[in-house]
Amino acid sequence: MRFAECKNYQESVGLLFWQASMLWQRHIRQALQPYDLTHTQFVILAVLEELSEQSVGITQKQIADFSMIDVMTVSSTVRLLEKKGLVCRLPNQKDTRANALSNTEKGRQRLAQAVVAVEQADKSFFFGSAAENVAFKARLTELLHKNLR
């Protein structure tokens, strides 16, 4: 593109990252289809489970902060998960202005099944060797820390 510093699209790190991300998301969508979960729903169930192992009274704000999903998206997705019977709201003992969220037993079971499919999708999508994946995760972690400032 004549307006860009790159000579052509193949030199654009951002475009390559975008394309790889889109392909990966497609793989994850296909893996989650049998479980009637979107990728966002899966992430919220997984984050809820992870955070509940560390503390009680998980709020939508905590889920948004941990997952980097927009607060409004978390809110609407939690409502859908609640309708599906996968998440429940409870009174928050720490903050009376907020609800505490929890996966239901049905939600935990669905998550346990979906995690297997997502992990398999990740294994088939990312690098074949453990060393390559460790190096890739390290670089992604660097990108996150660099840009969270």
Side-chain angles (χ1 to χ4, degrees):
M1 179 187 323
R2 63 185 143 176
F3 309 116
E5 289 182 28
C6 300
K7 292 177 190 162
N8 59 54
Y9 71 93
Q10 294 155 325
E11 291 184 5
S12 172
V13 174
L15 178 61
L16 288 171
F17 185 75
W18 173 265
Q19 290 171 329
S21 174
M22 292 293 104
L23 284 174
W24 173 71
Q25 288 180 51
R26 190 177 303 156
H27 275 74
I28 298 301
R29 258 193 314 277
Q30 290 170 348
L32 290 171
Q33 207 167 28
Y35 306 100
D36 188 31
L37 291 173
T38 66
H39 197 177
T40 303
Q41 291 170 347
F42 170 79
V43 169
I44 289 173
L45 289 173
V47 167
L48 253 176
E49 200 61 32
E50 177 68 26
L51 292 177
S52 69
E53 293 173 6
Q54 300 168 20
S55 69
V56 293
I58 310 306
T59 64
Q60 290 183 79
K61 174 84 168 92
Q62 287 172 294
I63 294 168
D65 291 345
F66 188 91
S67 65
M68 297 186 193
I69 299 171
D70 175 80
V71 177
M72 294 306 292
T73 302
V74 170
S75 178
S76 61
T77 304
V78 164
R79 260 186 261 115
L80 288 171
L81 289 169
E82 203 173 16
K83 285 179 184 174
K84 289 182 174 187
L86 303 177
V87 167
C88 63
R89 295 175 198 260
L90 307 164
N92 191 326
Q93 295 165 349
K94 293 180 186 176
D95 183 355
T96 56
R97 298 166 298 161
N99 288 311
L101 298 169
S102 177
N103 288 333
T104 62
E105 188 54 39
K106 181 180 175 183
R108 282 187 195 89
Q109 289 172 359
R110 182 86 51 93
L111 176 62
Q113 295 169 332
V115 162
V116 173
V118 167
E119 286 177 342
Q120 187 56 47
D122 281 351
K123 282 179 187 173
S124 72
F125 184 83
F126 292 108
F127 302 103
S129 79
E132 286 176 303
N133 282 317
V134 167
F136 186 60
K137 285 188 282 187
R139 295 310 305 256
L140 287 174
T141 301
E142 284 177 46
L143 278 175
L144 283 173
H145 291 296
K146 174 187 175 287
N147 291 288
L148 282 174
R149 295 181 198 149

